[in-house]
Amino acid sequence: MLITNIKGLVGLHPKDKLVLRGSELDSLPILENAWLLIEDGLIKDFGEMDSIPSLVSSLPSQISAEGRYIFPSWCDSHTHIVFAAPREEEFAMKIQGKSYEEIAAAGGGILNSANKLQKASEDELFKSASVRLNQMILHGTGAVEIKSGYGLTTESEIKMLRVIRRLKDQFPIPIKATFLAAHAYPAEFKNNHQGYIDLIINEMLPQIAAEKLADYIDVFCEKGFFSIEETDQVLKAGAKYGLKPKVHANQLSVSGAVEVSVQNKAVSVDHLEESNEETIQTLRNADTIVTLLPSCSFYLGIPFADAKSFIIADLPVALATDYNPGSTPSGNMNFVVSLGCIKMKMVPEQAINAATLNGAAAMEMSDDYGSITVGKKANLFITKPMPSIAYLPYSFGESQIETVILNGEIYNG
């Protein structure tokens, strides 16, 4: 496939640049008036139209992208898209001012989703998750991480992870699976936390490892959920089975979650709506990626993470959706990039880099995804005609995506 007359090729990072820290996020290399050659699903070559080789220009299967930009696909490194049903019944409670904790105490929240998921079949979960994933791809997402965590029993957590494996097999994008049984305590373990942790460690983890169902392990480390000590216990148990940590940290309070995550060499700490100087100092001494989820803040009405302070501190920042039925019922990465700019005061270059190369890095796949680089997978999208790259986050309520390309082929859903 040859694409010509491209207004701008966006995100031309060098092959050896696998993650962007601090001020590196400011740089988003763009080649104007360009051509792009895709071969065998990979980015083969690119250059300026003024100097296109005759051997390339004579190739068939050409697309003209006049007035349009080509971006690397969004890399969404934090989602919960396998769930049995939405939770719109909690929507009015949020509007009336009920807090996340109050809704959970009233039988809503994660336990509500767990109750519904335990009753759903694997086929039903696969069908509904497929619809969501297809829609995300059409919105430009070309790599994704999906968590379990609405099962909260051995049978249902395994069921969720098997659904994620089916999605991996059926969809043309890379998918990473994260085991998140430590998402909440089931009602029967409300006063027996160690009993549930023992179930995770002694029953769930061995079966997940035997079936090779997960890449990562996650814990919701927060007041009212899993303590620092409980988080440490679960992460260390996961590490024995080769599962690297990706932790829900500091969503509702500065809890010490970042410190325990870094001690366990977490790939990423996600949320960080609440942070302080100690949080930043801890992360400065680590390779852990800071994954921010602004559409969660938007939906819940909680503070937005302090992206600027993380960037000033020379940290690697990623953006992801947190797509889930309770706190972020949307998988639209374009809106996430807009919120990164509008609410977290990231400039467009920073937000786009955070949603592409650094999102890929947060899933340990930036060798192959997240930038327009010779040799990387041709997972891209072509915009509608736009005046500049800033127009994409600026036009926050509208899709600017015209064509999605995955593995070098046009994807129609």
Side-chain angles (χ1 to χ4, degrees):
M1 181 187 296
L2 173 64
I3 308 172
T4 59
N5 301 306
I6 304 160
K7 183 170 184 177
L9 271 178
V10 180
L12 276 60
H13 293 291
K15 179 74 172 173
D16 61 354
K17 180 53 67 176
L18 301 180
V19 65
L20 301 167
R21 301 182 71 96
S23 60
E24 291 180 324
L25 284 156
D26 299 346
S27 175
L28 183 66
I30 299 173
L31 184 66
E32 297 181 349
N33 189 28
W35 58 270
L36 174 70
L37 180 62
I38 297 169
E39 191 176 282
D40 298 327
L42 303 177
I43 296 168
K44 176 72 172 178
D45 204 356
F46 55 80
E48 295 179 340
M49 286 299 299
D50 293 344
S51 57
I52 185 170
S54 57
L55 280 174
V56 173
S57 62
S58 62
L59 290 171
S61 185
Q62 294 190 20
I63 297 172
S64 176
E66 191 168 349
R68 295 159 171 84
Y69 288 87
I70 295 184
F71 284 69
S73 293
W74 306 128
C75 296
D76 189 350
S77 63
H78 185 127
T79 82
H80 306 252
I81 64 169
V82 177
F83 54 86
R87 300 205 316 245
E88 73 277 8
E89 68 273 17
E90 297 175 13
F91 188 53
M93 296 173 71
K94 291 185 177 73
I95 293 168
Q96 291 164 356
K98 299 290 185 184
S99 70
Y100 191 88
E101 297 92 333
E102 287 172 327
I103 291 170
I110 295 165
L111 296 183
N112 185 6
S113 282
N115 181 51
K116 292 174 179 177
L117 186 133
Q118 288 163 12
K119 298 171 184 176
S121 71
E122 185 178 312
D123 286 342
E124 288 170 335
L125 292 171
F126 175 75
K127 184 177 179 180
S128 64
S130 294
V131 172
R132 295 179 198 112
L133 184 55
N134 181 63
Q135 194 63 40
M136 292 168 70
I137 291 171
L138 292 173
H139 279 135
T141 293
V144 69
E145 179 258 20
I146 308 172
K147 303 178 190 294
S148 70
Y150 292 131
L152 306 187
T153 66
T154 301
E155 179 186 2
S156 291
E157 285 292 312
I158 298 295
K159 178 170 61 177
M160 289 189 76
L161 290 167
R162 286 175 178 161
V163 168
I164 297 169
R165 184 166 63 188
R166 285 176 65 181
L167 293 171
K168 284 187 183 184
D169 292 340
Q170 293 294 318
F171 280 82
I173 68 171
I175 297 173
K176 289 293 184 82
T178 298
F179 172 50
L180 178 60
H183 201 192
Y185 283 100
E188 60 269 32
F189 290 99
K190 183 179 180 181
N191 298 312
N192 180 18
H193 286 193
Q194 192 58 48
Y196 184 57
I197 291 170
D198 289 344
L199 184 69
I200 291 172
I201 293 172
N202 299 324
E203 193 171 297
M204 296 186 196
L205 273 170
Q207 189 170 343
I208 288 163
E211 294 189 39
K212 298 180 179 177
L213 289 172
D215 303 292
Y216 302 111
I217 190 164
D218 197 343
V219 180
F220 187 11
C221 184
E222 188 57 74
K223 293 175 183 175
F225 293 88
F226 287 76
S227 70
I228 296 167
E229 294 76 19
E230 291 163 349
T231 297
D232 187 58
Q233 191 178 357
V234 172
L235 296 182
K236 282 183 167 55
K240 292 179 181 177
Y241 292 96
L243 301 183
K244 297 179 182 180
K246 285 170 67 72
V247 181
H248 284 61
N250 289 20
Q251 180 179 0
L252 306 173
S253 63
V254 178
S255 62
V258 169
E259 287 76 6
V260 72
S261 301
V262 167
Q263 287 164 14
N264 284 278
K265 296 182 169 55
V267 173
S268 69
V269 283
D270 301 19
H271 278 291
L272 274 67
E273 288 87 352
E274 301 290 341
S275 64
N276 57 20
E277 188 55 36
E278 287 75 20
T279 302
I280 290 172
Q281 284 301 126
T282 299
L283 289 165
R284 270 186 168 144
N285 300 317
D287 293 325
T288 301
I289 292 171
V290 177
T291 299
L292 308 181
L293 312 169
S295 50
C296 176
S297 297
F298 172 82
Y299 187 76
L300 291 179
I302 62 176
F304 285 84
D306 187 2
K308 292 182 76 173
S309 288
F310 295 127
I311 292 170
I312 290 169
D314 201 37
L315 299 177
V317 173
L319 291 175
T321 63
D322 194 22
Y323 191 0
N324 73 79
S327 65
T328 318
S330 169
N332 189 338
M333 280 291 285
N334 304 281
F335 183 55
V336 168
V337 171
S338 293
L339 287 174
C341 297
I342 297 165
K343 291 295 187 179
M344 298 198 298
K345 306 305 178 188
M346 301 172 78
V347 297
E349 291 82 0
Q350 292 171 337
I352 292 164
N353 277 324
T356 53
L357 188 60
N358 278 8
M363 296 181 278
E364 299 181 294
M365 57 174 73
S366 54
D367 276 328
D368 294 310
Y369 300 91
S371 66
I372 295 179
T373 305
V374 172
K376 285 196 175 186
K377 290 284 188 179
N379 281 20
L380 319 158
F381 61 81
I382 306 174
T383 70
K384 299 172 183 176
M386 296 195 315
S388 70
I389 62 160
Y391 190 80
L392 191 149
Y394 159 83
S395 59
F396 71 92
E398 301 177 12
S399 172
Q400 298 304 328
I401 295 175
E402 188 170 83
T403 305
V404 170
I405 296 172
L406 298 177
N407 305 307
E409 298 182 1
I410 293 173
Y411 180 85
N412 294 311

